[in-house]
Amino acid sequence: MTVTPQPHPVYVVGAGPGGLAVAAALRARGVRAVVLEKSDAVGASWRHHYDRLRLHTTRRLSSLPGLRIPRSFGRWVARADVVRYLEKYAEFHDLEIVTGVEVTRIEREEVRQDAADTAGTSRTADANWVLHATGGRRLVGRAVVVATGYNHTPRLPDWPGLDTYTAKADLVHASAYRNPTPYEGRDVLVVGAGNTGAEIAADLAGGGAARVRLAVRTPPYIVRRSTLGWPTQRSGILIRRLPVGLVDRLTGLLGRVMTADLSAYGLPRPTGGLYSRVRAGAIPVQDVGLVAAVRSGQVEPVAAVASFDGPEVVLADGSRITPDAVVAATGYHRALEPLLGHLGVLDERGRPVTGKAGKSGKTGKALPPGLYFTGFTNPISGMFREMARDAEKIAGRIARHRA
């Protein structure tokens, strides 16, 4: 596809899978897109995830527009192969990527028409988007796509006593965890029972840690990655458009078959409907070793962390433990407030008011024309799949507006 000269390109902020997908979809429509990436390479977050990580979605349902993930990568693509795919994707589509540039603020700049309208008065015709970036750069684009990522800035709860915790040097966020080698022979507490915490706990248990405890605040639904060859992702796609109450009832009836029961091992069964919790942001945990580790006693579920007291970790049930190390799988902030909090496009939790391609969200607020977001939801149908679909929608809207 030949990209025609354009005075102002579309700027895509972030060279992760969402940003690259949008840039490729725009290029396929003849629209120039410039991807701005603060790190020195594409797929920065995937380069720094823990070694064991694989896509929880199948290869066939995770490809980005215009290039399939190689079959040789297997059904569940490993972290290193995701990075290889993103590198190949950028090369294959000949994407225009500028690394080492961090966008710090995005502003909307109205454009005035020089000519008068039929009433004889000037009017606002459109708007440009101004991006302020490192090095004093002031970049002007006709549209901007924010793709800085769902897992942007590590979040550590403000636990009481954390500042004076004497073993704080051995407390790390899950974003700093790579593999179990540094934890061999040690007593480790993993905080958080989402997909990351569950997988790191299983990784530690199989990697030589002397003891692994998993601090659980809200018991998760734990589902099989696939059943008789049918991936859980496909079930997520099928149920996504169904009424929440109906799905909750169906999964309740099939709960014993669909989800693991570890109540006999100290992890109570979850409460509330599975899909209700998904809609609230609690994605089920895909079992990639946790169930077996808990049943074998290699991973011990314990109460949530309440506070720290000197060398001790105080749990919500009043018990006190003294682990050698703590891995906090406590999530991330989107960190969008400095970038565009002044535009009124974020909700009370700092998330974009929309998860769709430029449409108004549940709050009823519509995004300003030319501003788009991708990759800020964690859908049950698979993040890569939805980013691929959103890329086509966003590119289509931008191309139609330009036409």
Side-chain angles (χ1 to χ4, degrees), residues 174-302:
S175 59
Y177 177 87
R178 295 293 173 267
N179 57 64
T181 301
Y183 301 92
E184 290 181 6
R186 305 182 74 190
D187 180 344
V188 187
L189 173 67
V190 179
V191 184
N195 275 291
T196 298
E199 190 158 352
I200 288 176
D203 196 30
L204 288 164
R211 185 177 188 180
V212 181
R213 283 174 282 204
L214 179 62
V216 182
R217 182 181 61 181
T218 305
Y221 281 96
I222 304 176
V223 301
R224 297 180 179 88
R225 189 161 60 176
S226 65
T227 303
L228 300 176
W230 178 266
T232 297
Q233 181 189 7
R234 287 198 178 275
S235 298
I237 294 171
L238 291 175
I239 69 174
R240 194 174 181 208
R241 301 298 181 187
L242 296 177
V244 174
L246 173 61
V247 177
D248 282 347
R249 289 192 293 273
L250 289 174
T251 53
L253 292 172
L254 299 173
R256 300 289 175 179
V257 177
M258 293 181 58
T259 62
D261 183 0
L262 298 176
S263 55
Y265 303 90
L267 185 60
R269 289 191 67 84
T271 58
L274 184 150
Y275 201 34
S276 292
R277 290 181 56 172
V278 167
R279 295 295 291 270
I283 298 298
V285 170
Q286 289 201 14
D287 178 31
V288 289
L290 178 67
V291 171
V294 170
R295 287 175 174 166
S296 67
Q298 292 180 291
V299 173
E300 176 188 350
V302 297

Side-chain angles (χ1 to χ4, degrees), residues 35-215:
V35 183
L36 305 175
E37 169 56 44
K38 69 176 182 179
S39 70
D40 59 357
V42 303
S45 63
W46 277 92
R47 294 176 187 274
H48 297 100
H49 284 315
Y50 47 95
D51 297 343
R52 170 191 171 119
L53 179 64
R54 290 179 177 269
L55 278 178
H56 290 168
T57 54
T58 66
R59 181 192 73 252
R60 289 192 177 191
L61 297 175
S62 301
S63 294
L64 302 179
L67 183 67
R68 291 188 177 276
I69 298 176
R71 188 171 183 175
S72 60
F73 287 179
R75 192 182 197 195
W76 311 102
V77 184
R79 177 198 64 83
D81 286 334
V82 172
V83 174
R84 289 170 57 195
Y85 171 64
L86 296 179
E87 291 174 340
K88 180 63 177 178
Y89 190 84
E91 178 185 355
F92 179 82
H93 289 291
D94 193 22
L95 301 182
E96 189 174 348
I97 301 171
V98 183
T99 59
V101 175
E102 181 177 7
V103 178
T104 56
R105 186 177 174 88
I106 298 173
E107 297 176 340
R108 191 165 186 255
E109 180 181 71
E110 290 186 353
V111 178
R112 305 295 298 185
Q113 278 190 338
D114 293 332
D117 63 15
T118 55
T121 58
S122 63
R123 60 183 175 87
T124 300
D126 211 336
N128 285 329
W129 289 91
V130 178
L131 289 73
H132 299 274
T134 50
R137 295 177 177 86
R138 184 180 184 275
L139 308 172
V140 180
R142 293 291 287 170
V144 59
V145 182
V146 181
T148 49
Y150 189 82
N151 297 334
H152 187 275
T153 302
R155 182 180 69 86
L156 200 64
D158 187 20
W159 286 302
L162 180 60
D163 291 342
T164 56
Y165 179 46
T166 56
K168 193 173 182 180
D170 293 306
L171 187 154
V172 299
H173 188 271
S175 59
Y177 177 87
R178 295 293 173 267
N179 57 64
T181 301
Y183 301 92
E184 290 181 6
R186 305 182 74 190
D187 180 344
V188 187
L189 173 67
V190 179
V191 184
N195 275 291
T196 298
E199 190 158 352
I200 288 176
D203 196 30
L204 288 164
R211 185 177 188 180
V212 181
R213 283 174 282 204
L214 179 62

Side-chain angles (χ1 to χ4, degrees), residues 5-40:
Q6 296 154 12
H8 296 304
V10 174
Y11 282 106
V12 180
V13 185
L20 296 180
V22 170
L26 285 168
R27 182 172 177 78
R29 291 164 172 80
V31 178
R32 183 188 174 204
V34 179
V35 183
L36 305 175
E37 169 56 44
K38 69 176 182 179
S39 70
D40 59 357

